[in-house]
Amino acid sequence: MMVESASETIRTTTSNQNGVSNLSSQLDGGGGREGGSNGDNNGEISPVDLLHLQQQQALQAARQFLLQQASGLNSPSSNEVKQSPVQVPMSMAMLTPQMISPQQMQQILSPPQLQALLQQQQALMLQQVTHTHTHSFLGSAPAQHQQIGNKQLAFQQQLIQMQQLQQQHMINLQRQGLVSLQPTNPMQSLQQAMCPGDLQQLWKEVSGVQSAEEALKQQHTGEGLDLSTNSTSTSFPKANTHSSLHSLHNGQDNHTPKRDRARLFEWISSFSKADLGDEHLTPYSKGGPLSSSHHEEHAGSHPLYGHGECKWPGCEALCDDMGQFIKHLNNEHALDDRSTAQCRVQMQVVQQLEIQLAKESERLQAMMTHLHMRPSEPKPFNQPLNLASSGSLLKRESEVYPEGLPHPPTSATAPITPLRQGPSVISSSSLHSHSHPHGVGPIRRRIADKFCTPIASELAQNCEFYKNADVRPPFTYASLIRHAILEAPDRQLTLNEIYNWFTRMFAYFRRNTATWKNAVRHNLSLHKCFVRVENVKGAVWTVDEVEYQKRRPPKMTGSPTLVKNMISGLGFGSLNASYQAALAESSLTLLNSQGLVNPSSAASLNMLHGMGHDDVSSTVEQVNSNGSCSPTLSPQQYGHQVHVKEEPTEIEEDSRSMSLMATVTQNMALPSDRDDRDLDDELPTEELE
DNA sequence: GGTATAATAAACAGAA
DNA sequence: TTTCTGTTTATTATAC
């Protein structure tokens, strides 16, 4: 029961804001395990402090610049970056965020450059706000209003981009262990990245601009808000504001006519609460605009009310009590164009952050996968990836992951699946195939076998991950069943015990019970390598290693194509040929130091590189578990009734040579702690792969 | 396009 | 009768 609730918790990681704190918790836990990866900043100014200091300095400079402008420097030509303390090309500072993603920006720019860019953008934002203000009050021609609307659009786009960029930068710092991780939500992330006061200030600027425009409009037309009026060529900035924000979301400037309230409401409601989280749409989506009957308002708390002030973006109105706040909310933030526009901006912010979160979650899993590997195994990740030859999943991931970054052994579902999925995270649900009942399509099914993933090694490295994350393990049912059975003390399990192993080891299998249990039974019956043995306490299942080795493994003959495929398999954080080579290399070193190996055995180890990884791991596991040289564990030794099955498609292949490996391995000391067997018992033997 | 492999679904039967 | 266990068949997807 506890495990199920735990998996439920994990599953929410990318679906709402709560996931952020969950993710942070995981990060904290992971950081603790890794021990010391966060660095030691005690007694000195931490990088994050420096970052904040720089941001404050930039903002301070921007404020001074604003003051100068307000005191008479109204010339637009003065709005140049030469005021900026850091020299980053203006074209870069202004255009890049809209042209390329923040991730790409970070790859292109060094951290100092990135920081400089952030500062420039912040200063520029404030400058734009000032100019917008200035033009709003000084100019009244429609053309100027049009310009204001465009500036607002540009401003808000850049604001979001800047927020993204800063958040990404913070995450990068966190990833580098330079910043301690804190439970946060998207808005907190923005505030954390920007400096809360300045973010709020920027929001106020947006609101202020719109308020000023509304005032102007009312002055010119002598009428109040008329939401039903279509915008014309002489439309007021308010209409532009609307369309700008609308196009902000659509990614195009289509200058749509004003929507009436119903359409605004419809548009907002089109965002499912599942995507955006309850709190974002609650005021609108439940019973109309900011209804005072909202349940949270009656409950004495409101997400938009805290510390005696209104938390509406850009609004810091002081409200003594909830009643006053509700009154303020209904009066000042009713469903009108401005509120809708602000809501849209907020939606956009949330959506961007959620996308970012999904990506970062996947990146986290890739990092965890990487960090679980020993320091002596960096080779695979130094090799160029050839993802183009991989399947569609890898192609998708190649779009997500920067080149050279190890991909998680996927899954997301992301929700992670987000992957959703691995470790396959992809637990990010966003990466899960929606057409598949399990959320994980067949694409992923054979990943383990295709890339020859060593199940023992993978499980050892990501044991905790699979136990907690709702991520489908990248192994076939057969390999999982076999692993479960071989892991058992007497190398035999009842069906129910196999079920229990699945649910114990993988959060993913704590759901979809009917499906995967059926699959387990199906595999047990189908594959000849699984032998049913009846004893006094009922039927148990064992593994016939000979039969298992007969299963046609992925061909790894060393041809360029296969090697390329293996390299492409790198994307899963699973072991590939290079990794195996590194493992063998390090193992040989170890064995040589123990005088247990000779050149011929080294050749044998190298030969293993051409084997399917499952085969390799099975060999090692078997030897390891048996503790003897016997290459197989014949079920006949049980002396019970045995049901021999026929493998559907059996191609006889030479059994891989394993005697030498067995000879070597049996001499190696094995940890005795069974509780840690996943991590300790298998690793030494896996190193021989 | 054929083949192999794996996942999934489902039907069915026998035992507990 | 229900549930569990085990077998079998069919379909689909993917990789080669």
Side-chain angles (χ1 to χ4, degrees), chain A residues 593-627:
Chain A
S593 68
Q594 298 177 347
L596 294 174
V597 79
N598 56 36
S600 62
S601 61
S604 297
L605 285 172
N606 286 332
M607 182 188 69
L608 289 176
H609 298 162
M611 297 172 56
H613 220 307
D614 250 5
D615 301 49
V616 178
S617 63
S618 67
T619 300
V620 175
E621 285 170 347
Q622 178 202 344
V623 172
N624 175 20
S625 301
N626 278 342

Side-chain angles (χ1 to χ4, degrees), chain A residues 199-238:
Chain A
L199 181 63
Q200 190 75 353
Q201 179 66 25
L202 289 173
W203 264 115
K204 289 177 70 175
E205 299 290 357
V206 178
S207 305
V209 169
Q210 290 168 338
S211 299
E213 292 163 1
E214 286 177 5
L216 274 174
K217 177 185 177 180
Q218 291 180 7
Q219 284 177 2
H220 279 262
T221 61
E223 62 183 9
L225 292 175
D226 184 2
L227 297 172
S228 61
T229 311
N230 288 333
S231 64
T232 63
S233 58
T234 58
S235 62
F236 267 81
K238 191 167 192 322

Side-chain angles (χ1 to χ4, degrees), chain A residues 542-569:
Chain A
T542 63
V543 177
D544 185 342
E545 280 296 330
V546 173
E547 291 299 326
Y548 190 85
Q549 301 303 327
K550 286 180 181 176
R551 294 169 66 234
R552 179 181 296 175
K555 296 294 187 299
M556 290 294 299
T557 57
S559 68
T561 302
L562 291 170
V563 170
K564 188 176 72 174
N565 288 338
M566 287 299 285
I567 293 174
S568 68

Side-chain angles (χ1 to χ4, degrees), chain A residues 418-590:
Chain A
L419 113 20
R420 60 193 172 192
Q421 296 175 336
S424 316
V425 178
I426 278 145
S427 68
S428 167
S429 59
S430 60
L431 294 182
H432 284 177
S433 168
H434 296 291
S435 61
H436 198 279
H438 282 213
V440 180
I443 294 172
R444 183 163 305 155
R445 290 175 191 158
R446 297 183 59 193
I447 282 165
D449 280 6
K450 176 186 176 183
F451 300 134
C452 306
T453 305
I455 181 171
S457 176
E458 171 75 8
L459 283 182
Q461 291 168 2
N462 303 296
C463 176
E464 290 303 315
F465 171 79
Y466 289 119
K467 280 182 179 176
N468 296 318
D470 186 16
V471 166
R472 185 194 182 96
F475 309 109
T476 63
Y477 282 111
S479 60
L480 286 172
I481 294 168
R482 174 185 160 275
H483 188 79
I485 293 173
L486 294 182
E487 204 183 49
D490 45 2
R491 305 170 69 80
Q492 60 180 28
L493 288 177
T494 65
L495 180 63
N496 198 46
E497 287 170 337
I498 295 174
Y499 289 162
N500 292 337
W501 184 87
F502 270 68
T503 54
R504 186 175 71 251
M505 296 298 293
F506 304 97
Y508 177 83
F509 290 120
R510 289 173 204 138
R511 61 189 182 95
N512 302 320
T513 302
T515 298
W516 69 262
K517 284 186 175 178
N518 186 24
V520 167
R521 294 195 304 271
H522 164 78
N523 275 267
L524 285 171
S525 295
L526 188 68
H527 296 300
K528 199 176 178 180
C529 59
F530 298 121
V531 181
R532 184 174 177 271
V533 178
E534 287 192 3
N535 58 21
V536 281
K537 63 177 182 180
V540 294
W541 289 93
T542 63
V543 177
D544 185 342
E545 280 296 330
V546 173
E547 291 299 326
Y548 190 85
Q549 301 303 327
K550 286 180 181 176
R551 294 169 66 234
R552 179 181 296 175
K555 296 294 187 299
M556 290 294 299
T557 57
S559 68
T561 302
L562 291 170
V563 170
K564 188 176 72 174
N565 288 338
M566 287 299 285
I567 293 174
S568 68
L570 214 171
F572 262 179
S574 304
L575 306 188
N576 63 4
S578 300
Y579 184 20
Q580 294 175 42
L583 286 173
E585 190 176 328
S586 59
S587 300
L588 282 175
T589 304
L590 171 66

